Amino acid sequence: MNEKIIDGKKISKERKEILQEKVYKLKKKLKLVVINVGNDPASLVYVAQKEKMALEIGYDFLNLHFDDILEDDLIKEIKKLNDDPNVTGIIVQLPLPKGFSKERILNTVSPLKDVDGLTNENLLKLIKKEPTLIPCTPKGVMSLIESYNISLEDKRVVIVGRSELVGLPLFHLLLNKNATVTLCHSKTKDLKSYTKNADLLIVAVGKKDLITKDMVKENGIIIDVGINRVDGKLYGDVAADAISLLQLMTPVPGGVGPMTVISLMENVLEASKLQDKKHF
Ligand code: NAD
């Protein structure tokens, strides 16, 4: 089965080495700041992972953690970071605690430092094919497609899940590469009629076994973005036995996950280049 695996772990490792070399050659040290409000246990783990990777790449890293903060004070903190020439990239760790306006807070981050690619300005640029910072998971999926030389123009591409974090930006990224894309979601009737005809199926929902073997196209390709934790084990959205019918499939874990982290690190360097162009 190994020849059928899209190995995100291996590709992310290769990309990490390339990035380390580029960062090593820079004249200045780049800095990533993560703002984390509250004590969500999963967020603490994710921030620690980002810190480890950032330091390995050769970036400076600051974990700006607040047990509690007023929204207006948080906005002021973000503005300070926007104005600080020593800060290259800013992430607001999600989820924010209840009561915070995610939309307002995310859109306070300077689009030039928005390494998660979540500001409205950057989403618009992505749609318009302008140089921008692309959200990390969609960027990671596109890197996998490129690494495995998966052609797009000749394929029926189906995405399941339309979130602003994954499905929606992916739809535009694929469209911009001349793929013919169908975007399915929770209100889609007869999901199987779409997935069964997908040459390339990308699933980003968060429901274990949403896509069963009978729903996939023979010899198709699947990129499974979903992460579902059941009894301490991780699963994607696609039933594991589907792989026997397929040409290629990402595993969970070890598929899209590692690509998301490396894409974030690539975005820090990208942000620095965009800032240089704007004479920040
Ligand atoms: P979300 O909850 O914001 O969006 C889920 C989407 O799935 C929605 O658009 C919804 O319409 C759609 N959906 C829900 N039920 C459906 C159904 N029965 N049929 C068809 N569509 C349905 O989630 P998200 O943030 O986009 O994340 C999706 C999954 O991807 C989650 O499991 C998340 O953990 C995972 N994820 C993984 C990574 C990674 O690095 N691997 C990164 C981000 C998200």
Side-chain angles (χ1 to χ4, degrees):
M1 286 289 184
N2 263 354
E3 73 280 3
K4 291 191 172 193
I5 292 285
I6 299 179
D7 192 344
K9 219 167 151 184
K10 177 171 145 253
I11 303 294
S12 70
K13 195 162 167 270
E14 288 168 9
R15 295 183 82 96
K16 182 179 173 186
E17 282 163 15
I18 294 168
L19 183 62
Q20 277 170 324
E21 208 153 298
K22 286 184 187 165
V23 170
Y24 181 74
K25 287 184 187 149
L26 293 177
K27 289 189 186 77
K28 66 171 182 181
K29 191 103 166 159
L30 308 186
K31 183 173 178 176
L32 175 62
V33 180
V34 176
I35 302 169
N36 188 18
V37 183
N39 287 295
D40 177 66
S43 291
L44 298 177
V45 174
Y46 290 139
V47 173
Q49 280 173 354
K50 286 170 191 173
E51 174 163 18
K52 182 170 177 281
M53 182 68 124
L55 297 177
E56 283 169 9
I57 298 292
Y59 298 142
D60 281 337
F61 184 90
L62 174 66
N63 177 6
L64 202 53
H65 180 256
F66 303 99
D67 282 326
D68 199 11
I69 186 168
L70 292 172
E71 181 165 320
D72 284 344
D73 291 337
L74 183 60
I75 297 282
K76 277 183 207 149
E77 291 291 339
I78 296 173
K79 285 182 176 165
K80 262 197 264 170
L81 296 169
N82 285 345
D83 294 339
D84 183 345
N86 293 316
V87 172
T88 319
I90 304 168
I91 298 171
V92 179
Q93 186 65 37
L94 299 175
L96 284 159
K98 276 201 187 92
F100 283 84
S101 164
K102 183 174 123 186
E103 188 71 12
R104 177 177 176 228
I105 291 165
L106 289 180
N107 282 295
T108 302
V109 175
S110 158
L112 290 173
K113 297 190 176 185
D114 168 31
V115 285
D116 263 344
L118 296 179
T119 56
N120 291 343
E121 188 173 325
N122 281 339
L123 177 62
L124 187 63
K125 283 191 175 143
L126 181 153
I127 292 170
K128 296 257 190 192
K129 270 175 134 174
E130 288 171 22
T132 186
L133 296 164
I134 296 167
C136 303
T137 302
K139 182 180 166 98
V141 170
M142 294 308 286
S143 298
L144 282 180
I145 289 172
E146 197 186 295
S147 297
Y148 277 78
N149 292 315
I150 298 169
S151 58
L152 289 170
E153 291 191 14
D154 58 339
K155 289 196 175 51
R156 282 171 199 241
V157 182
V158 173
I159 304 172
V160 188
R162 60 173 160 185
S163 72
E164 283 191 21
L165 194 65
V166 189
L168 187 69
L170 251 180
F171 174 83
H172 290 285
L173 289 167
L174 289 160
L175 197 62
N176 288 345
K177 294 273 180 202
N178 298 322
T180 302
V181 197
T182 306
L183 185 53
C184 299
H185 46 78
S186 56
K187 301 280 187 282
T188 300
K189 303 271 178 289
D190 191 11
L191 185 62
K192 183 177 172 180
S193 66
Y194 297 92
T195 59
K196 187 88 187 147
N197 289 308
D199 301 306
L200 171 60
L201 176 63
I202 304 174
V203 191
V205 172
K207 283 197 177 131
K208 182 176 180 286
D209 294 337
L210 175 74
I211 307 295
T212 45
K213 191 174 168 183
D214 62 308
M215 293 171 78
V216 309
K217 185 176 180 187
E218 211 170 326
N219 217 25
I221 299 173
I222 293 190
I223 297 183
D224 189 352
V225 181
I227 301 178
N228 305 289
R229 193 178 288 274
V230 181
D231 297 332
K233 234 186 125 196
L234 292 186
Y235 299 88
D237 291 344
V238 182
D241 62 351
I243 198 167
S244 61
L245 281 184
L246 298 167
Q247 190 192 136
L248 284 170
M249 181 171 162
T250 54
V252 178
V256 176
M259 296 304 295
T260 297
V261 187
I262 191 63
S263 299
L264 169 65
M265 299 300 145
E266 290 173 343
N267 268 352
V268 177
L269 180 59
E270 202 57 41
S272 143
K273 287 186 197 160
L274 289 172
Q275 288 158 29
D276 285 348
K277 276 192 199 137
K278 297 254 175 180
H279 305 290
F280 180 81

